[in-house]
Amino acid sequence: MAQDNQHSWAVRMLRGFGMFWWDFLIGDTPELFVSTVVLIGIVAALSLAGHWRWASVIVLPLGAALMLLGSVLKAIKAKKASSS
Amino acid sequence: MIATAFHSSNLVLVSAVFLACAVEMVEALTIVVAVGSTRSWKSAFEGVAVAVLALGALVAVFGPALVHVPLTTLRLVVGGVLLIFGLQWLRKAILRSTGYKAKHDEDAIFAETVAELNSATGDRDRLAFVMSFKGVFLEGLEVVVTVLTLGASSHELGLATITAAVALTLVAIVGAIVAKQLSGVPENAMKMAVGIMLVSYGTFWTGEGLKVSWPGNDVMIPVFVVLYALFVWVVVASLKTGEMKAEVA
């Protein structure tokens, strides 16, 4: 009985911990999570390709800015679509 | 030059931690004040105390563990987390300042919490304790993540912790004085500033983790702050102008 209680407490804690990180990183903007992972992949590839390494300095901040703009425009489009 | 870089990056760190903690704690304070003034200050403070203890335990467990993570890996993970978190804050702040999303209204949250407490049945004191605990714990968890990630990756965990403590104390004092007038806090402007700083740190640490050679090293953090602030300003201005044109047409 005590073991069952401990088990369910541990499961609840783990689920709560997982939910926190899900809300924290993904929440209602999965596009930002996915595009950040893709951007990190692109910059990692550029960093490995010696000749194009300098481009990371531009690609990383520019990519972040474009991701933000894309996510904002997506939200505005959704808002307009739901109100029309 | 090195001294300037050191001070400017620390200034950004202190500002980011301070504003992020202040914003999160204003949200938590709204719930605590609503619970305390409606039901029971004793239960509200008990909830706060248990939440602070739980957060302290989390910091005690995860704080020292971060020291053992290789610096490059830590910076890449922290950079990625800060980038995503900062972009989420900025997105919300832009949508709010252009009118596409309702502004975070502390008065509405206060009224909602009071209504929830008044309509609830059962053990009122227990409910007050749970609501107060949840409010402080969940908002505090974001503070903990911000302080640990920003502090650990820049090797300034002490500075970040002290800044967070000062912010929390100030918010508690101001909260005790103004009590129910928390809606007067310019929350969206603060969120915009925090978002810009988190994205700047996120970009810098992600790059460090991927071995990007930033020109001027740490000097790039304030440079990113300026560049992202300009970008956000242009986006907000364009969206506002676009809306005005649409309204005239």
Side-chain angles (χ1 to χ4, degrees):
Chain A
M1 186 70 178
Q3 256 189 340
D4 278 355
N5 279 345
Q6 268 186 344
H7 179 72
S8 66
W9 182 82
V11 169
R12 273 208 315 272
M13 287 298 286
L14 267 177
R15 191 177 293 156
F17 189 70
M19 283 301 291
F20 169 75
W21 282 104
W22 177 272
D23 284 343
F24 194 76
L25 293 175
I26 299 170
D28 55 355
T29 52
E31 74 277 7
L32 285 179
F33 177 79
V34 174
S35 52
T36 301
V37 172
V38 171
L39 181 64
I40 288 174
I42 292 169
V43 175
L46 284 173
S47 299
L48 289 174
H51 191 62
W52 290 95
R53 208 170 167 184
W54 61 269
S56 309
V57 175
I58 300 161
V59 170
L60 188 49
L62 187 66
L66 291 176
M67 274 154 43
L68 175 64
L69 184 63
S71 185
V72 166
L73 292 177
K74 181 175 170 269
I76 291 173
K77 200 176 162 190
K79 171 90 178 167
K80 282 182 176 169
S82 69
S83 59
S84 65
Chain B
M1 180 70 178
I2 291 169
T4 311
F6 175 80
H7 288 303
S8 57
S9 61
N10 274 8
L11 189 68
V12 177
L13 171 77
V14 168
S15 310
V17 170
F18 185 89
L19 288 175
C21 292
V23 168
E24 298 299 347
M25 288 329 288
V26 163
E27 292 178 19
L29 192 65
T30 306
I31 295 167
V32 174
V33 170
V35 170
S37 58
T38 319
R39 294 306 318 158
S40 147
W41 281 107
K42 185 173 168 276
S43 298
F45 285 135
E46 280 172 0
V48 172
V50 175
V52 169
L53 281 176
L55 289 169
L58 276 179
V59 173
V61 171
F62 291 107
L66 283 176
V67 179
H68 301 292
V69 180
L71 196 59
T72 311
T73 312
L74 182 71
R75 285 178 171 175
L76 178 58
V77 173
V78 164
V81 169
L82 289 177
L83 200 52
I84 295 168
F85 195 37
L87 288 171
Q88 287 172 346
W89 276 47
L90 266 186
R91 175 184 173 275
K92 269 187 202 159
I94 290 172
L95 290 172
R96 279 179 179 141
S97 56
T98 49
Y100 285 103
K101 191 176 173 74
K103 288 215 165 138
H104 201 271
D105 187 348
E106 301 302 342
D107 285 344
I109 292 171
F110 185 88
E112 201 178 292
T113 310
V114 168
E116 201 177 324
L117 279 163
N118 285 336
S119 64
T121 52
D123 188 345
R124 298 286 181 89
D125 276 0
R126 188 170 173 271
L127 183 70
F129 171 85
V130 170
M131 284 185 81
S132 179
F133 171 81
K134 272 177 72 177
V136 174
F137 186 75
L138 292 177
E139 301 300 342
L141 209 50
E142 294 196 20
V143 169
V144 167
V145 172
T146 308
V147 171
L148 283 183
T149 51
L150 280 174
S153 56
S154 54
H155 278 299
E156 293 288 357
L157 197 51
L159 182 65
T161 309
I162 291 167
T163 307
V166 170
L168 302 189
T169 310
L170 275 180
V171 170
I173 292 169
V174 172
I177 296 166
V178 301
K180 292 175 193 173
Q181 291 141 16
L182 291 169
S183 58
V185 176
E187 200 179 322
N188 203 49
M190 285 166 78
K191 276 201 162 167
M192 187 88 85
V194 175
I196 288 167
M197 289 181 215
L198 292 182
V199 172
S200 302
Y201 260 102
T203 306
F204 182 78
W205 291 129
T206 304
E208 288 282 296
L210 295 170
K211 304 221 170 13
V212 172
S213 309
W214 296 119
N217 297 320
D218 283 9
V219 176
M220 279 308 283
I221 297 173
V223 171
F224 281 142
V225 170
V226 173
L227 290 177
Y228 283 127
L230 275 173
F231 177 75
V232 167
W233 180 74
V234 169
V235 170
V236 170
S238 309
L239 289 173
K240 278 185 175 169
T241 313
E243 272 312 291
M244 280 166 65
K245 276 183 187 166
E247 277 171 22
V248 171

